[in-house]
Amino acid sequence: MTAPETETLRVPAPAPRRHAWRTQAPIVAVVALGGAVGATARYTASLWWPTQQGGFPWATFWTNVVGCAVIGVFMVVITDVWAAHRLVRPFFGTGVLGGFTTFSTYAVDIQKLVDSGHPRTGLAYLAATLVAALTAVWLAAAATRRVLKWRQS
């Protein structure tokens, strides 16, 4: 009886390893820079339009609504019209607009309103922000597509 033949397994050579940090570092940097710009703009808006104790947080409300509308326009433009540089979307979309809009402050504002004895205002703010922000992004994207289609005809 003879020993079974063994096949020589050929394992492909590993692909040259790209250092993830080299490809991710520019993205992290532009998101951080954009986030600083957006958060500074939001903070400035809150200084210009302070919220009274127990009052409706208009600055945060409008920041989120306007930010969502800009996101709607921006996403249509960079996906349907403009072949943007690979760092534009992380800088402006994730960084600037992510730093500008603030759904964490929105949640804290609701909690403060409820805790200070203003649950109706808190619920109104909860519902109004959700409806207005989602409507803003949808309307802005739809309007941008319509304008772009009109300009092309």
Side-chain angles (χ1 to χ4, degrees), residues 120-140:
R120 288 184 189 159
T121 304
L123 282 172
Y125 177 51
L126 173 91
T129 298
L130 286 174
V131 170
L134 291 172
T135 301
V137 73
W138 181 79
L139 285 175

PDB file of all heavy atoms in Angstrom, residues 120-140:
ATOM      1  N   ARG A 120     -45.398  69.950  29.020  1.00  0.00           N
ATOM      2  CA  ARG A 120     -46.092  70.254  27.759  1.00  0.00           C
ATOM      3  C   ARG A 120     -45.151  70.924  26.765  1.00  0.00           C
ATOM      4  O   ARG A 120     -45.154  70.591  25.585  1.00  0.00           O
ATOM      5  CB  ARG A 120     -47.311  71.132  28.009  1.00  0.00           C
ATOM      6  CG  ARG A 120     -48.433  70.393  28.671  1.00  0.00           C
ATOM      7  CD  ARG A 120     -49.646  71.262  28.812  1.00  0.00           C
ATOM      8  NE  ARG A 120     -50.637  70.606  29.634  1.00  0.00           N
ATOM      9  CZ  ARG A 120     -51.594  71.218  30.264  1.00  0.00           C
ATOM     10  NH1 ARG A 120     -51.720  72.528  30.169  1.00  0.00           N
ATOM     11  NH2 ARG A 120     -52.451  70.534  30.993  1.00  0.00           N
ATOM     12  N   THR A 121     -44.360  71.853  27.276  1.00  0.00           N
ATOM     13  CA  THR A 121     -43.382  72.515  26.401  1.00  0.00           C
ATOM     14  C   THR A 121     -42.368  71.490  25.907  1.00  0.00           C
ATOM     15  O   THR A 121     -41.979  71.492  24.740  1.00  0.00           O
ATOM     16  CB  THR A 121     -42.671  73.668  27.148  1.00  0.00           C
ATOM     17  OG1 THR A 121     -43.652  74.566  27.650  1.00  0.00           O
ATOM     18  CG2 THR A 121     -41.714  74.410  26.231  1.00  0.00           C
ATOM     19  N   GLY A 122     -41.936  70.588  26.795  1.00  0.00           N
ATOM     20  CA  GLY A 122     -40.996  69.540  26.412  1.00  0.00           C
ATOM     21  C   GLY A 122     -41.557  68.622  25.331  1.00  0.00           C
ATOM     22  O   GLY A 122     -40.871  68.300  24.357  1.00  0.00           O
ATOM     23  N   LEU A 123     -42.809  68.224  25.487  1.00  0.00           N
ATOM     24  CA  LEU A 123     -43.439  67.369  24.478  1.00  0.00           C
ATOM     25  C   LEU A 123     -43.648  68.112  23.158  1.00  0.00           C
ATOM     26  O   LEU A 123     -43.466  67.539  22.087  1.00  0.00           O
ATOM     27  CB  LEU A 123     -44.772  66.823  24.995  1.00  0.00           C
ATOM     28  CG  LEU A 123     -44.659  65.664  25.970  1.00  0.00           C
ATOM     29  CD1 LEU A 123     -46.032  65.344  26.574  1.00  0.00           C
ATOM     30  CD2 LEU A 123     -44.079  64.447  25.299  1.00  0.00           C
ATOM     31  N   ALA A 124     -44.036  69.385  23.254  1.00  0.00           N
ATOM     32  CA  ALA A 124     -44.205  70.179  22.034  1.00  0.00           C
ATOM     33  C   ALA A 124     -42.874  70.310  21.295  1.00  0.00           C
ATOM     34  O   ALA A 124     -42.810  70.172  20.068  1.00  0.00           O
ATOM     35  CB  ALA A 124     -44.763  71.564  22.382  1.00  0.00           C
ATOM     36  N   TYR A 125     -41.819  70.553  22.058  1.00  0.00           N
ATOM     37  CA  TYR A 125     -40.479  70.670  21.487  1.00  0.00           C
ATOM     38  C   TYR A 125     -40.040  69.340  20.869  1.00  0.00           C
ATOM     39  O   TYR A 125     -39.479  69.313  19.764  1.00  0.00           O
ATOM     40  CB  TYR A 125     -39.524  71.110  22.590  1.00  0.00           C
ATOM     41  CG  TYR A 125     -38.076  71.234  22.227  1.00  0.00           C
ATOM     42  CD1 TYR A 125     -37.655  71.954  21.117  1.00  0.00           C
ATOM     43  CD2 TYR A 125     -37.099  70.655  23.026  1.00  0.00           C
ATOM     44  CE1 TYR A 125     -36.312  72.078  20.808  1.00  0.00           C
ATOM     45  CE2 TYR A 125     -35.753  70.780  22.735  1.00  0.00           C
ATOM     46  CZ  TYR A 125     -35.377  71.488  21.623  1.00  0.00           C
ATOM     47  OH  TYR A 125     -34.057  71.610  21.321  1.00  0.00           O
ATOM     48  N   LEU A 126     -40.300  68.239  21.564  1.00  0.00           N
ATOM     49  CA  LEU A 126     -39.965  66.912  21.054  1.00  0.00           C
ATOM     50  C   LEU A 126     -40.626  66.672  19.703  1.00  0.00           C
ATOM     51  O   LEU A 126     -39.958  66.327  18.724  1.00  0.00           O
ATOM     52  CB  LEU A 126     -40.424  65.844  22.054  1.00  0.00           C
ATOM     53  CG  LEU A 126     -40.298  64.396  21.592  1.00  0.00           C
ATOM     54  CD1 LEU A 126     -38.940  63.865  22.010  1.00  0.00           C
ATOM     55  CD2 LEU A 126     -41.392  63.545  22.179  1.00  0.00           C
ATOM     56  N   ALA A 127     -41.927  66.882  19.636  1.00  0.00           N
ATOM     57  CA  ALA A 127     -42.668  66.620  18.402  1.00  0.00           C
ATOM     58  C   ALA A 127     -42.327  67.628  17.311  1.00  0.00           C
ATOM     59  O   ALA A 127     -42.108  67.254  16.149  1.00  0.00           O
ATOM     60  CB  ALA A 127     -44.165  66.642  18.693  1.00  0.00           C
ATOM     61  N   ALA A 128     -42.281  68.895  17.669  1.00  0.00           N
ATOM     62  CA  ALA A 128     -42.040  69.941  16.660  1.00  0.00           C
ATOM     63  C   ALA A 128     -40.670  69.783  16.012  1.00  0.00           C
ATOM     64  O   ALA A 128     -40.531  69.948  14.792  1.00  0.00           O
ATOM     65  CB  ALA A 128     -42.161  71.325  17.299  1.00  0.00           C
ATOM     66  N   THR A 129     -39.661  69.455  16.799  1.00  0.00           N
ATOM     67  CA  THR A 129     -38.314  69.295  16.234  1.00  0.00           C
ATOM     68  C   THR A 129     -38.268  68.106  15.281  1.00  0.00           C
ATOM     69  O   THR A 129     -37.709  68.213  14.181  1.00  0.00           O
ATOM     70  CB  THR A 129     -37.265  69.142  17.347  1.00  0.00           C
ATOM     71  OG1 THR A 129     -37.270  70.324  18.141  1.00  0.00           O
ATOM     72  CG2 THR A 129     -35.878  68.935  16.764  1.00  0.00           C
ATOM     73  N   LEU A 130     -38.824  66.983  15.696  1.00  0.00           N
ATOM     74  CA  LEU A 130     -38.811  65.805  14.818  1.00  0.00           C
ATOM     75  C   LEU A 130     -39.533  66.092  13.501  1.00  0.00           C
ATOM     76  O   LEU A 130     -38.998  65.817  12.421  1.00  0.00           O
ATOM     77  CB  LEU A 130     -39.456  64.612  15.508  1.00  0.00           C
ATOM     78  CG  LEU A 130     -38.634  63.946  16.602  1.00  0.00           C
ATOM     79  CD1 LEU A 130     -39.449  62.875  17.298  1.00  0.00           C
ATOM     80  CD2 LEU A 130     -37.360  63.362  16.031  1.00  0.00           C
ATOM     81  N   VAL A 131     -40.731  66.640  13.595  1.00  0.00           N
ATOM     82  CA  VAL A 131     -41.511  66.917  12.385  1.00  0.00           C
ATOM     83  C   VAL A 131     -40.811  67.964  11.513  1.00  0.00           C
ATOM     84  O   VAL A 131     -40.663  67.783  10.298  1.00  0.00           O
ATOM     85  CB  VAL A 131     -42.944  67.356  12.752  1.00  0.00           C
ATOM     86  CG1 VAL A 131     -43.685  67.885  11.539  1.00  0.00           C
ATOM     87  CG2 VAL A 131     -43.699  66.203  13.387  1.00  0.00           C
ATOM     88  N   ALA A 132     -40.366  69.049  12.125  1.00  0.00           N
ATOM     89  CA  ALA A 132     -39.743  70.134  11.355  1.00  0.00           C
ATOM     90  C   ALA A 132     -38.413  69.699  10.730  1.00  0.00           C
ATOM     91  O   ALA A 132     -38.129  70.038   9.572  1.00  0.00           O
ATOM     92  CB  ALA A 132     -39.539  71.357  12.243  1.00  0.00           C
ATOM     93  N   ALA A 133     -37.591  68.956  11.465  1.00  0.00           N
ATOM     94  CA  ALA A 133     -36.289  68.539  10.938  1.00  0.00           C
ATOM     95  C   ALA A 133     -36.453  67.562   9.779  1.00  0.00           C
ATOM     96  O   ALA A 133     -35.797  67.699   8.738  1.00  0.00           O
ATOM     97  CB  ALA A 133     -35.443  67.927  12.053  1.00  0.00           C
ATOM     98  N   LEU A 134     -37.328  66.579   9.945  1.00  0.00           N
ATOM     99  CA  LEU A 134     -37.547  65.615   8.863  1.00  0.00           C
ATOM    100  C   LEU A 134     -38.197  66.279   7.648  1.00  0.00           C
ATOM    101  O   LEU A 134     -37.838  65.983   6.505  1.00  0.00           O
ATOM    102  CB  LEU A 134     -38.393  64.443   9.358  1.00  0.00           C
ATOM    103  CG  LEU A 134     -37.695  63.523  10.361  1.00  0.00           C
ATOM    104  CD1 LEU A 134     -38.679  62.515  10.939  1.00  0.00           C
ATOM    105  CD2 LEU A 134     -36.499  62.827   9.734  1.00  0.00           C
ATOM    106  N   THR A 135     -39.126  67.178   7.897  1.00  0.00           N
ATOM    107  CA  THR A 135     -39.760  67.916   6.796  1.00  0.00           C
ATOM    108  C   THR A 135     -38.736  68.789   6.083  1.00  0.00           C
ATOM    109  O   THR A 135     -38.725  68.863   4.848  1.00  0.00           O
ATOM    110  CB  THR A 135     -40.931  68.773   7.323  1.00  0.00           C
ATOM    111  OG1 THR A 135     -41.876  67.905   7.957  1.00  0.00           O
ATOM    112  CG2 THR A 135     -41.603  69.541   6.211  1.00  0.00           C
ATOM    113  N   ALA A 136     -37.872  69.439   6.847  1.00  0.00           N
ATOM    114  CA  ALA A 136     -36.860  70.323   6.258  1.00  0.00           C
ATOM    115  C   ALA A 136     -35.908  69.565   5.341  1.00  0.00           C
ATOM    116  O   ALA A 136     -35.621  70.011   4.225  1.00  0.00           O
ATOM    117  CB  ALA A 136     -36.073  71.033   7.361  1.00  0.00           C
ATOM    118  N   VAL A 137     -35.413  68.420   5.781  1.00  0.00           N
ATOM    119  CA  VAL A 137     -34.481  67.665   4.945  1.00  0.00           C
ATOM    120  C   VAL A 137     -35.191  67.151   3.695  1.00  0.00           C
ATOM    121  O   VAL A 137     -34.641  67.197   2.590  1.00  0.00           O
ATOM    122  CB  VAL A 137     -33.773  66.540   5.738  1.00  0.00           C
ATOM    123  CG1 VAL A 137     -34.674  65.383   6.037  1.00  0.00           C
ATOM    124  CG2 VAL A 137     -32.531  66.060   5.025  1.00  0.00           C
ATOM    125  N   TRP A 138     -36.418  66.686   3.836  1.00  0.00           N
ATOM    126  CA  TRP A 138     -37.165  66.175   2.692  1.00  0.00           C
ATOM    127  C   TRP A 138     -37.484  67.292   1.701  1.00  0.00           C
ATOM    128  O   TRP A 138     -37.267  67.139   0.493  1.00  0.00           O
ATOM    129  CB  TRP A 138     -38.450  65.489   3.161  1.00  0.00           C
ATOM    130  CG  TRP A 138     -39.229  64.929   2.030  1.00  0.00           C
ATOM    131  CD1 TRP A 138     -38.999  63.767   1.356  1.00  0.00           C
ATOM    132  CD2 TRP A 138     -40.356  65.545   1.393  1.00  0.00           C
ATOM    133  NE1 TRP A 138     -39.924  63.610   0.355  1.00  0.00           N
ATOM    134  CE2 TRP A 138     -40.769  64.687   0.358  1.00  0.00           C
ATOM    135  CE3 TRP A 138     -41.051  66.726   1.622  1.00  0.00           C
ATOM    136  CZ2 TRP A 138     -41.844  64.985  -0.461  1.00  0.00           C
ATOM    137  CZ3 TRP A 138     -42.132  67.019   0.810  1.00  0.00           C
ATOM    138  CH2 TRP A 138     -42.514  66.147  -0.223  1.00  0.00           C
ATOM    139  N   LEU A 139     -38.011  68.417   2.197  1.00  0.00           N
ATOM    140  CA  LEU A 139     -38.347  69.535   1.305  1.00  0.00           C
ATOM    141  C   LEU A 139     -37.110  70.107   0.619  1.00  0.00           C
ATOM    142  O   LEU A 139     -37.156  70.439  -0.571  1.00  0.00           O
ATOM    143  CB  LEU A 139     -39.070  70.637   2.075  1.00  0.00           C
ATOM    144  CG  LEU A 139     -40.520  70.386   2.433  1.00  0.00           C
ATOM    145  CD1 LEU A 139     -41.057  71.519   3.316  1.00  0.00           C
ATOM    146  CD2 LEU A 139     -41.365  70.230   1.182  1.00  0.00           C
ATOM    147  N   ALA A 140     -36.030  70.242   1.360  1.00  0.00           N
ATOM    148  CA  ALA A 140     -34.806  70.798   0.778  1.00  0.00           C
ATOM    149  C   ALA A 140     -34.254  69.896  -0.316  1.00  0.00           C
ATOM    150  O   ALA A 140     -33.844  70.367  -1.383  1.00  0.00           O
ATOM    151  CB  ALA A 140     -33.760  71.024   1.861  1.00  0.00           C
TER     152      ALA A 140
END
